[in-house]
Amino acid sequence: MTHTLTPYTPRQQWGLRTTDTDLAPVALRQMATGESEETARAELTDSEHLIPMPVPGQARGEARIFQALIAAYGRHRPTLTGGPFGIRSLTPRTDELVVRIAPSHLDRWIDALTYRQGGTGVAALRWAGRRDGIALTLPGMTLLLADISETGWRAALGRRSADQSSLMPHWIPQLSGEAEHTAAQDAELASVRDHLSATLRRIRLVDPLTRVSGHVHLFTTRHHGDLHLIEACEATPTVLPLWTSRSLPLALWPAGPIPAPGPSDPRTGLHGGPPRP
């Protein structure tokens, strides 16, 4: 018997329309981002949408970073990692993503993002110290690791010195071969770029899905030549986006349509083995 999943129909987010829920916009946003009430309220003051849509370059970079985290973390318990993929909360903006990770996971993020010739990590990623944290940059993208000092960041890089040669300061020019690796990673993720970015920007929506199994489990797999993002936190894997599978209010949906994945057999990408801590 062939196991397939029915594609979802993309719909438009209607600004801050919340007539289909009793929750206030701030509370809805907190469900997706894990932000404090103060931060969520301040961000909504200047935002047209509950969760801002990123510009194309920002979406491309976020997709590559999220794919690297998915590959590195695998199936894991958020209670042991300080949140899904070590993320306590995040603040999405049009041209920036502010991420607050559990301090104990800084080394793990460095390991996940460092590019290696085998294809793991994120090619051409650079960093710069800022007053409010460490900015990780790609052309057209900024991801801010908030509240991490440059001293702490350099110390973490030093602990990972055997593996971090590709994660360099912003003033290092692009190295030979990085453009090709970047293009290859962008091409690999092109069909799920917006889906990956939108999921990362709403990462705390996975929290209710972990209450039974206790695990976060997202992965990408190919089916009939197409790449799919699959959520397998619960017993039944699905290609449905988190906001669709949880039947969330339209205000939490992406503002633009995301290409609908075709029918897919989620079992083709499942891997055995014990969960990672």
Side-chain angles (χ1 to χ4, degrees), residues 197-245:
S197 173
T199 302
L200 176 59
R201 288 177 163 242
R202 296 160 175 78
I203 194 60
R204 299 303 310 209
L205 292 181
V206 305
D207 290 349
L209 303 179
T210 68
R211 289 172 185 164
V212 176
S213 69
H215 297 105
V216 171
H217 193 190
L218 303 178
F219 60 93
T220 55
T221 188
R222 287 202 171 275
H223 183 67
H224 295 315
D226 295 322
L227 193 66
H228 301 273
L229 174 63
I230 293 181
E231 177 270 300
C233 301
E234 296 182 314
T236 305
T238 177
V239 294
L240 295 176
L242 294 173
W243 50 91
T244 306
S245 64

Side-chain angles (χ1 to χ4, degrees), residues 66-152:
F66 195 30
Q67 169 69 356
L69 293 172
I70 287 173
Y73 273 77
R75 186 171 180 247
H76 62 282
R77 291 182 181 272
T79 55
L80 300 179
T81 57
F85 305 97
I87 299 171
R88 296 184 303 177
S89 68
L90 47 76
T91 297
R93 297 168 181 158
T94 301
D95 57 356
E96 181 181 65
L97 184 64
V98 180
V99 181
R100 304 168 193 89
I101 65 173
S104 60
H105 277 255
L106 185 55
D107 288 17
R108 194 164 180 177
W109 268 59
I110 289 174
D111 286 345
L113 300 182
T114 297
Y115 182 75
R116 298 170 180 82
Q117 290 302 314
T120 60
V122 182
L125 192 62
R126 296 291 188 267
W127 67 270
R130 283 183 13 182
R131 176 184 53 81
D132 48 355
I134 298 297
L136 301 178
T137 59
L138 290 165
M141 185 224 74
T142 298
L143 185 148
L144 177 69
L145 293 177
D147 305 322
I148 295 176
S149 68
E150 185 167 342
T151 299

Side-chain angles (χ1 to χ4, degrees), residues 32-43:
T33 66
E35 293 166 300
S36 67
E37 180 179 349
E38 180 182 11
T39 298
R41 191 177 302 280
E43 291 293 324

Side-chain angles (χ1 to χ4, degrees), residues 52-72:
M53 284 288 290
V55 295
Q58 184 72 26
R60 283 194 300 271
E62 289 176 9
R64 292 174 60 199
I65 285 177
F66 195 30
Q67 169 69 356
L69 293 172
I70 287 173

